[in-house]
Each structure stands twice: as C-alpha cells, then as structure tokens.
Amino acid sequence: MNNSKAILATAKKTIETESASIYNLSTLLNEEFSDAVNCILESKGRVIISGIGKSAIIASKITATLNSTGTPAIFMHAGDAIHGDLGTIQEDDVVVCISKSGSTPEIKMLIPLVKRGTNKLIAMTGNTESYLAKEADFIINTYVEKEACPNNLAPTTSTTAQLVMGDALAICLLQLKGFSSKDFAKYHPGGSLGKRLYLRVSDIVGTNQKPQVHIDAEVKKVIVEISEKMLGVTAVTQNEEIVGIVTDGDIRRMLNKYDNISGLTAKDIMSKNPKTISVDVLAIEALELMQEKGISQLLGVDGKKYMGVVHLHNLINEGIL
C-alpha cells in the first residue's frame, strides 16, 4: 500500500507545529532572560545544567554548546544528583534546571538541595507557575502550546524549544564575551571544522615538494621538474621571484603548437602573472580563491619570495573541501 502522501503530510505537520512554537518563543523573551544571561556572565564559577528524561538529553547538548563557545559548563543528571552527584556543584556555580512541567519528583527533590547553598538557580521550563519556576532566581520560559506528537505526550516540540533557548543563551554569552573564530578554533582543533579555522597555507606548502625552474630553463628540464615534484605545475623564477608558471596544460598546449620543441625555454611556454597567495593566510582562503578562479593550484609566497605550491588535492586530503 502506497502511504507516501500520509507520511509526508505527517512530517510536514510536525515541522510546521514545531516551527510555529519556536517562532513564538521570541515573544516569551523578557528581562528575566537578560538577567539570567548576566548572572552566568558575571559568575566566577561554571554553569551546571540538569534535567530528567528527554530534558536531560537536551541539557547535555546545551552543556556541549556552552563549553565549545567559551562558557565552562557541566552536565548533571537530576536523578544522579540526588543519589550522590550533588557534589558536582561548587560554591560559585550557576545551576540551570530544565523541565517542561517543572514539577517532576526528581526536580522537586533536587531544588531544595540546590537552594541550601548560595548558588543562583535558573529555571528553563514551560510552566511558569510550577514548583521549579517559583523557587528559581530567574525563569527562562519555554512554553509550547502542544507537542508535535498527535497524542500530545511524547516530548517533541517542548524539547526543541529547550534546545533553541539553550542556543540563544549560548550565543548571547558568546557575543558578550567577544568569543572569536580564533577562540572557537582552540576548542575545535580536530576535524574539518578545526582545520578551516587554523590550518594555514604555510602548513600545506611546507609538506609539498617545491617545483621551480629558471626562466631560461630548457623545456625538457621543465617537464622533468613537473613530473618529479608531482604537483602538475612548476613556478618559473628569476632572482628568486616568480615571473610565471608552467602547468600540465601548458605542456599539452606546447606539444599541440610545436612540431619541434628543441630550443624552447620556460619563458616561451609559461603563463605570466600567475595567481599567488600569502603563506600566512588560512588554507580555506586558498580554496575560496581556487574556486573563484577555476584553478587547482596556487603559488605560495612570503612577500615576493616563492615558497611553494598549494594544490586542491592538499585541501581535499585535509578535509577542508
């Protein structure tokens, strides 16, 4: 039986329901949200984020987002907290407790234990009249009219709302702290994301061979240099400065143009004014320039001095593309 239409209709309705609820969140923002952000910003401690059930999963993700954007955070499961993990909370920490209802048994047990100390408590809840909300110093309202679940039971829209508010919290803190892309790179050194933020042209050029011929070099030497250095290109230099470039394509065009290549030099077949890039810039900038110019390699330079070649294959191998 073909039920594709029914499936797509359900999926569309789910997305539309959640989308409408998320859009409505912006109307719930008030001074308490700002106060909560400032509370975290001014704190000398960490952010302890807790929850139960699906809210605990969201709490874990928000913790990761805060940590990666410069706000030290620790996830503490509300159930584990009342069974020994309460020691996670230190004197200067701010506690964020996430709960749709704000009245689950674990939350009711946890809150008095948190309130015994001097820690500020931020409630992220969809029920501003709940026990959690009334006991909190600040309330972040994540109210949703209904879950995407047709039975209005499975946490769907409500957990999405919590996630979005967590992102809003993290981004506000990021901007207030002046957290830059360089800072971000410190926390994301691995993978393609990290490499886009820290890998420089010099890092790549230094691992490649350095194809180079003099402007008066015979064509045979040019071909050998391109072949041996295996980058499909060689720089043509004079007095250590670049005056041109010879690529595999230039060699093919030469062979089509001349029946006798004897006596030809690099100067006769090179392309003048080749595209160069400073070895000090990020490798991602090299990729952007290659894509813009429709080329597969660039000559790396330090001022006017030729330093080597960065090839598109290098960027692919590094996972930047």
Side-chain angles (χ1 to χ4, degrees):
M1 181 178 178
N2 188 348
N3 58 353
S4 177
K5 288 185 177 180
I7 291 172
L8 293 176
T10 299
K12 183 178 180 181
K13 184 177 180 180
T14 300
I15 294 170
E16 289 176 346
T17 299
E18 295 205 6
S19 177
S21 294
I22 297 310
Y23 181 78
N24 186 60
L25 284 180
S26 61
T27 68
L28 304 180
L29 293 172
N30 53 28
E31 290 297 321
E32 283 208 62
F33 180 86
S34 300
D35 292 341
V37 171
N38 283 321
C39 175
I40 295 172
L41 185 66
E42 295 167 4
S43 170
K44 296 179 181 179
R46 308 154 303 173
V47 183
I48 309 298
I49 307 184
S50 188
I52 197 79
K54 303 299 187 296
S55 294
I57 297 172
I58 299 301
S60 180
K61 189 276 177 186
I62 294 173
T63 300
T65 301
L66 288 171
N67 279 319
S68 69
T69 52
T71 299
I74 295 178
F75 167 67
M76 181 184 70
H77 194 282
D80 294 335
I82 59 178
H83 291 287
D85 283 2
L86 198 64
T88 301
I89 305 173
Q90 300 299 306
E91 183 178 355
D92 293 322
D93 293 341
V94 175
V95 179
V96 178
C97 197
I98 304 175
S99 172
K100 177 187 176 182
S101 70
S103 300
T104 57
E106 294 84 358
I107 296 299
K108 285 187 173 182
M109 291 181 66
L110 175 62
I111 299 312
L113 299 176
V114 173
K115 297 291 286 183
R116 286 186 312 186
T118 58
N119 305 94
K120 294 295 184 181
L121 175 63
I122 299 172
M124 184 180 291
T125 180
N127 183 0
T128 57
E129 297 299 320
S130 65
Y131 175 77
L132 171 62
K134 290 178 179 179
E135 292 294 320
D137 296 290
F138 309 102
I139 302 172
I140 296 177
N141 191 351
T142 54
Y143 170 77
V144 295
E145 184 176 347
K146 60 180 178 180
E147 301 286 4
C149 166
N151 299 314
N152 197 30
L153 294 174
T156 46
T157 310
S158 59
T159 48
T160 303
Q162 293 167 355
L163 187 64
V164 170
M165 276 299 196
D167 286 342
L169 192 69
I171 299 306
C172 287
L173 289 164
L174 177 152
Q175 291 195 337
L176 289 169
K177 289 169 179 269
F179 194 80
S180 68
S181 59
K182 289 183 179 180
D183 296 317
F184 197 77
K186 294 177 185 177
Y187 295 93
H188 299 78
S192 60
L193 176 59
K195 289 182 178 180
R196 281 173 172 260
L197 293 169
Y198 76 81
L199 191 70
R200 297 190 177 276
V201 171
S202 57
D203 298 322
I204 294 176
V205 166
T207 63
N208 284 335
Q209 297 189 72
K210 186 181 176 182
Q212 180 178 356
V213 296
H214 189 268
I215 190 172
D216 295 324
E218 295 180 356
V219 163
K220 180 179 179 181
K221 184 174 182 179
V222 175
I223 295 174
V224 170
E225 184 73 0
I226 293 175
S227 177
E228 287 184 348
K229 301 301 170 61
M230 298 183 294
L231 290 168
V233 64
T234 183
V236 181
T237 60
Q238 187 174 28
N239 299 325
E240 291 303 313
E241 291 187 13
I242 299 170
V243 293
I245 189 172
V246 180
T247 66
D248 284 337
D250 292 321
I251 297 298
R252 289 192 295 271
R253 285 186 286 273
M254 175 196 68
L255 294 174
N256 285 330
K257 183 177 180 180
Y258 298 99
D259 292 327
N260 182 6
I261 64 172
S262 177
L264 292 177
T265 65
K267 181 179 181 180
D268 299 317
I269 64 172
M270 72 181 187
S271 299
K272 297 180 180 179
N273 303 315
K275 296 294 182 292
T276 62
I277 191 165
S278 170
V279 292
D280 291 331
V281 306
L282 291 173
I284 185 63
E285 294 183 38
L287 173 61
E288 291 168 352
L289 183 56
M290 287 182 196
Q291 292 175 327
E292 177 187 343
K293 301 299 182 182
I295 56 179
S296 58
Q297 64 270 316
L298 292 165
L299 302 183
V301 294
D302 183 2
K304 291 185 178 181
K305 185 178 179 181
Y306 169 57
M307 302 301 292
V309 175
V310 54
H311 198 283
L312 181 62
H313 290 162
N314 299 137
L315 304 178
I316 293 173
N317 290 338
E318 292 289 350
I320 291 178
L321 182 59

